Amino acid sequence: MNVKDELARATMGEHGEEGRKMRRDLPPRPAHEGLGEVPGDSGAVVSVQHLRKTYPGDVEALKGVSFEVQEGEIFGMLGPNGAGKTTTMGILTTTVRPSSGSAVVAGHDVVREALAVRQAIGVAFQESVLDNDFSGLDNLRLHARLWRVPRVEADQRIAGLLEAMELTERARDGVRTLSGGMRRRLEIARALLSNPRVLFLDEPTLGLDPAVRQGIWESIEALRLRSRITVVLSTHYLEEAERVCDRVAIIHQGRIVALDTPKALLKSLGEEAVELKVEDDPATVLPVLAGLGLNGSPPLVMGKTITIPLTDGPTQAPSLMDRIRGQGIAARAMGIRRTTLNDAFLRLTGAGVDGEDGQLGGNQ
Amino acid sequence: MIRTASTIRTASLGTFTLYKRRLAVATKTASGIAGTMTLPVLWVLIIAPALASALGGFNPSIDYFTYVVVAQVALIVPFTSMFSGINVIVDKEFGILREFLVAPVFRASIPLANALAVLTIALVQVALIVGLGTARGAEFNTSPTGVLWFLAAVALLSLTTYAVAEFLALAVGRQEAFGPLIPAVGVTPWFLAGSLFPLNVLPPGVEQVALASPWTHALAVMRYGLMENTDPGLANIWHMNSELLMAALSLGVLMLMTLGALTLAVWVFNRKTMA
């Protein structure tokens, strides 16, 4: 049985094959194309309206954030440190009090019905949050008791989740002895244990090596395939969000600056781009590029790399590269690549997701 | 009605789960268990007899060994409470507190469960002290009612001092800053509470300070329970004739202090754990 099947079994609880069939028979997940508009009906399992949070010292972390997440959706919140992602997560998981606005999770208001919200959610935090005095198994059992999962069901689910996360052999070891990747997998298993309606993952792969990150995203994708669980996650790794998320909200300085499917965001930018690494100051190169009559989005600049999105890459790219060469621009490298959410992020915020300042060429 | 029953069930189940976890943390290591038992054993077997032998006592009607054995209860209970404040900081800074904060339990259950776990540990220590004291020749003059008075005072002192520990731990936030507070806050008041000598030999002014301390009232009630009609501790506080009335007054003061301290601790807990 592979990881995806194990995870599916583990997250189906006592329903077994019947549950599996039930999930297979579910209607297809809604495709939220367009401009990120989600029907305001109550299919939304997470609904956030005009959310504001001001911390002491007049630090405005959120400046009126609104969005909805549909049942079964994987929703990504993207942004650099300080953008407001963790504050939003904190409000939705009832650990941060909003200054104004409202948030409803699984039909319950996060302020007035915090207990009911907490019963309906699972959370994997950005930092490791495990009971270090105990084993992984003990941590899972404690969670099951806190969420009041019946003993027999809890044991079955724990066994399935440990198997799915490839932790069975280390389950009785103290969590202090586990690697960072194992601890993170254990935390995700724990968050899934109560069969939550909404799973919150705050930077689920931060600080992990690529192989472990890959495994964790596979687990999340397995959830998407087999379960109607709703996932709200935040991540710095935009390419990973692009792969796994149905929709993403790009948050910048406490505001959502874009909310759409990754595909739609990339389409609005141009799906392919010419990337140019220059020797000189990019500022001296941009006027030359402007003179070439680019008809796509304005170039994006990050360090000494200039990215020129193209509306029709296969047609435009070869001739554009020829024209660039013809201008005698000192380039270390030039090539064609697909645009990514990193580019969209830079376009929308003027900064890289790691906080590095970028700049935009052309008229913005 | 159903809603109320559900609320009570949620509160009690959550508190019980967190209580068991806290006890498990406390008894996880042999050093933890030994650490909580060493001082009571040392006190009853060596220090109390030595004090009784060296000082002899201040009142011929009081067995001084018994007097300081009961005093040990009022020392170890707050000390255990204060020491457990470190766990509050560890849970907050390095551990599991965030998981508890998103669990479907009332937030107040978290400090209350900790307080009850500390009380349980304190009761085990108290049983050890009384048992060893009896074996070593302490002359307890008590009754079932007296034992209840004693246990009530132990419980209230434990809950009050735990609440103080929780408050201080959350207020200072760091182990390095909290460590020095353990003896300062957890032990110093004991010296002024009539532990080794009666209150009336304290300098004026200091005696008034001692009267505002939960240690003083708790110790007087403990001795009322275990040393019936021999210890003048309650009379030194209230200057009345009825031992029962004075004990009730001191217990009432303790209850108010406990209620106030727990309310403050839960309030601070909510403030410090909710942004």
Side-chain angles (χ1 to χ4, degrees), chain B residues 206-230:
Chain B
V206 177
E207 186 181 348
Q208 303 309 312
V209 172
L211 290 178
S213 157
W215 276 256
T216 307
H217 292 278
L219 189 50
V221 176
M222 286 178 203
R223 286 190 178 130
Y224 169 72
L226 292 190
M227 303 171 69
E228 286 178 2
N229 304 317
T230 56

Side-chain angles (χ1 to χ4, degrees), chain A residues 113-251:
Chain A
E113 301 168 285
L115 209 60
V117 168
R118 297 202 288 270
Q119 183 69 54
I121 64 174
V123 187
F125 301 94
Q126 186 171 333
E127 310 85 22
S128 178
V129 177
L130 290 167
D131 209 346
N132 289 317
D133 290 316
F134 297 98
S135 69
L137 190 58
D138 291 334
N139 272 270
L140 294 175
R141 284 180 174 157
L142 175 64
H143 183 95
R145 285 195 297 273
L146 286 170
W147 266 258
R148 284 177 279 156
V149 181
R151 181 69 180 266
V152 174
E153 185 184 340
D155 287 346
Q156 288 172 352
R157 292 177 65 78
I158 287 170
L161 286 164
L162 285 171
E163 189 69 31
M165 293 295 174
E166 299 174 16
L167 289 168
T168 303
E169 289 180 7
R170 300 295 305 273
R172 293 180 189 279
D173 295 345
V175 293
R176 284 183 206 277
T177 67
L178 302 182
S179 68
M182 288 176 180
R183 290 170 68 94
R184 181 39 56 108
R185 293 204 304 273
L186 178 64
E187 289 179 308
I188 293 175
R190 183 180 64 182
L192 289 167
L193 185 50
S194 62
N195 206 8
R197 279 192 72 191
V198 188
L199 174 66
F200 290 95
L201 301 172
D202 194 1
E203 299 282 2
T205 55
L206 188 66
L208 302 177
D209 63 57
V212 177
R213 279 162 49 191
Q214 173 77 9
I216 286 174
W217 289 121
E218 279 180 6
S219 302
I220 294 169
E221 285 183 317
L223 276 176
R224 186 231 290 268
L225 289 172
R226 295 291 191 184
S227 159
R228 288 288 287 192
I229 192 171
T230 305
V231 181
V232 177
L233 62 87
S234 70
T235 181
H236 276 73
Y237 299 115
L238 303 191
E239 70 283 8
E240 294 175 352
E242 184 180 332
R243 188 180 101 189
V244 76
C245 292
D246 295 314
R247 288 188 307 146
V248 295
I250 294 181
I251 303 181

Side-chain angles (χ1 to χ4, degrees), chain B residues 104-174:
Chain B
V105 297
F106 291 106
R107 293 269 158 77
S109 291
I110 302 169
L112 289 179
N114 288 346
L116 292 174
V118 169
L119 171 60
T120 304
I121 294 164
L123 288 174
V124 172
Q125 293 171 319
V126 167
L128 188 67
I129 291 168
V130 172
L132 284 176
T134 304
R136 195 76 168 78
E139 297 172 7
F140 295 119
N141 181 22
T142 188
S143 61
T145 313
V147 171
L148 289 179
W149 280 101
F150 170 76
L151 290 176
V154 168
L156 292 173
L157 182 63
S158 175
L159 293 173
T160 303
T161 50
Y162 178 77
V164 170
E166 172 108 18
F167 167 75
L168 290 173
L170 290 168
V172 301
R174 292 181 302 117

Side-chain angles (χ1 to χ4, degrees), chain B residues 89 168-169 171-182:
Chain B
I89 296 173
L168 290 173
V172 301
R174 292 181 302 117
Q175 291 185 71
E176 311 86 77
F178 184 75
L181 295 176
I182 294 175

